[in-house]
Every structure is written in C-alpha cells, then in structure tokens.
Amino acid sequence: MEVGIYLLKSVAVLSLFYGVYLLFLRKETLFHTKRHFFLAGIIAALVVPFIQFTNTVIIEVPATELTALIPQTQNTLANSIPTETTATIDYGFWAMLLYTLGALIMAFKFSRELFSLLYLIKGRPASSIGKYTFVQVDDMIAPFSFFRFIVYNPKLH
C-alpha cells in the first residue's frame, strides 16, 4: 500500500474520532472512558487503512480469432519508437521525508520534556500515601500529576 494513501486514510479515521469527541465527549467528565476512546481511535487509525473492500465482477470476453490479432501487434511493435522521458518529482518521497522530519522533531521535543519532568521529580522531597507519591517542589508551578506522582508547591497549595 502506498504510504501517502495510508496516511490519508489514517488522518481521516483520526479526524472522524476527533469529530465524535468534539460533538459528544468534550464536556463529559468520564476521563477513564475518554482515555479508552482515544486509545481505540489510535488503534483504529493504525488498523483501518489496511482493510480493503473488493468487489469481484466477472466480465465475459467475446471470442475473437487469434490470427486476426497477430498482424496488428507486429505492426504496432514495428512502428513504436523509443521516446525520451522527462524527470518527474516523486511527491510520495518528499511527503514521507517531511512526515519523518516532523515525527523526529516531535520525538525530540517529547524526550526533552520527559527528561525535564524526570529531573524535576528526582531529588525532591517526596512522601507516599497509598499508591501515590507526592513530590514537593519550590518552583512556582501549578500542581500536576504524572502517572502515580503528584507534584505540587506546598507554599502555594
């Protein structure tokens, strides 16, 4: 399957899921259900473009004499002259290159933010209550959670 067609189908599926989210789930507070919905959308965007629907149509070919076709093919082969072809731009290659470049930039930004977050959590006073770890920071930041870590500034909250 051509990569461009796969990407277009994948974007269409993600757009459909996003549209359903905007229409029905945006104002809901069921975060667990939203998370499952988004995961289903990602999985669907990966799998659905590979599904192909085919319709087999049988057309009967009328019977022709083989000898009537042979002289015609010899004439067309004798009259054919090799032609020069012009260079064309491979849009699929450039689109894939642009997509890969964007994915690499996003992966770099994600890893930088992840390491920044881990640096913020590491070496700070923390206390565990149940299955959650509360991390106290001195920075002027809004409280947030990351998996089982809850990061907050005790002077502000």
Side-chain angles (χ1 to χ4, degrees):
M1 176 183 288
E2 188 177 329
V3 176
I5 294 173
Y6 174 80
L7 289 177
L8 286 175
K9 289 180 181 179
S10 181
V11 166
V13 170
L14 285 176
S15 299
L16 179 68
F17 269 84
Y18 184 64
V20 170
Y21 166 76
L22 287 178
L23 288 174
F24 301 112
L25 298 174
R26 182 175 37 177
K27 295 183 180 181
E28 294 295 325
T29 57
L30 304 168
F31 299 113
H32 194 69
T33 305
K34 284 183 184 180
R35 189 174 302 127
H36 287 303
F37 179 77
F38 287 135
L39 287 174
I42 292 170
I43 291 170
L46 292 173
V47 174
V48 168
F50 287 114
I51 299 173
Q52 294 181 356
F53 298 100
T54 57
N55 186 12
T56 306
V57 178
I58 300 173
I59 301 174
E60 293 189 30
V61 179
T64 59
E65 290 185 29
L66 186 59
T67 57
L69 295 176
I70 291 174
Q72 291 176 353
T73 57
Q74 288 175 350
N75 286 339
T76 56
L77 290 176
N79 293 334
S80 65
I81 299 171
T83 58
E84 228 178 89
T85 58
T86 59
T88 59
I89 298 173
D90 186 10
Y91 292 109
F93 170 76
W94 289 107
M96 189 62 189
L97 182 69
L98 184 66
Y99 180 80
T100 304
L101 183 65
L104 288 174
I105 290 170
M106 289 298 137
F108 174 74
K109 287 178 71 173
F110 174 73
S111 61
R112 188 181 68 194
E113 293 293 326
L114 184 63
F115 286 123
S116 172
L117 177 65
L118 293 176
Y119 178 76
L120 180 68
I121 292 174
K122 185 178 179 184
R124 307 290 174 127
S127 59
S128 294
I129 300 175
K131 60 181 180 176
Y132 299 105
T133 302
F134 291 89
V135 180
Q136 299 176 5
V137 295
D138 295 329
D139 301 337
M140 300 300 251
I141 58 173
F144 65 91
S145 65
F146 180 72
F147 290 108
R148 294 178 190 247
F149 293 98
I150 298 176
V151 181
Y152 70 101
N153 185 341
K155 294 176 187 172
L156 297 176
H157 300 284

